[in-house]
Amino acid sequence: MKRILLIEDEPLIQKSLKKLLEKRGAEVTVESRGRDAIGLILNQQFDRIICDLMLQDISGFDVIEEAKGRYTMSEISKLFIIITAYSSPHVIEKATQYGCMLLSKPFENIDEALNIFMSSGGTGGPS
């Protein structure tokens, strides 16, 4: 079973994605705060981390920086998918530096987004 950490502070999106991913057989842990998510990332094993860029306390990029305490950049690029409603050129460039895939909200095609979330990593940009 695929273990997914979903870091999303918008309750409706969080609930919907959790339910849809669980229907596809994933075990989903949800977290609304970036700082709390960092503790989970450093102490638990996940197959995929879906991280919203704009969290209430810190940014998704801050979460990725902290994850470097446990993972290499190559592992981070396979593990993390950034989701955001604010995909400016700066944000896209920074996501590319981490090698992470970036999906814009609202998702154009929810099935496609779920397939990406459930895939076995390694789909994140150039490494």
Side-chain angles (χ1 to χ4, degrees):
M1 179 181 285
K2 187 173 276 285
R3 295 197 66 213
I4 295 177
L5 174 60
L6 173 61
I7 310 163
E8 169 62 70
D9 57 6
E10 169 57 51
L12 186 64
I13 295 172
Q14 189 192 80
K15 251 187 220 133
S16 304
L17 281 178
K18 181 179 186 340
K19 199 172 278 181
L20 290 166
L21 288 164
E22 285 174 344
K23 272 187 181 170
R24 290 182 174 223
E27 178 186 318
V28 183
T29 302
V30 292
E31 190 50 70
S32 302
R33 296 174 47 81
R35 294 195 195 289
D36 296 335
I38 290 165
L40 292 174
I41 291 166
L42 297 178
N43 296 300
Q44 292 184 38
Q45 190 63 44
F46 295 99
D47 301 305
R48 169 75 73 216
I49 299 170
I50 302 166
C51 187
D52 187 17
L53 188 58
M54 305 300 278
L55 299 164
Q56 289 169 3
D57 54 348
I58 59 176
S59 82
F61 291 135
D62 295 325
V63 173
I64 292 173
E65 278 300 317
E66 292 295 325
K68 285 181 180 177
R70 177 172 183 180
Y71 295 105
T72 65
M73 285 302 289
S74 169
E75 290 169 326
I76 285 171
S77 72
K78 291 179 179 75
L79 199 56
F80 277 85
I81 293 179
I82 299 164
I83 55 176
T84 182
Y86 312 97
S87 51
S88 69
H90 171 73
V91 166
I92 292 166
E93 180 188 332
K94 194 152 183 174
T96 305
Q97 287 171 357
Y98 288 114
C100 297
M101 179 172 255
L102 182 81
L103 291 184
S104 294
K105 295 187 293 188
F107 305 118
E108 281 181 35
N109 179 332
I110 189 65
D111 272 337
E112 198 175 288
L114 291 168
N115 287 339
I116 290 167
F117 296 152
M118 293 296 292
S119 70
S120 310
T123 54
S127 40

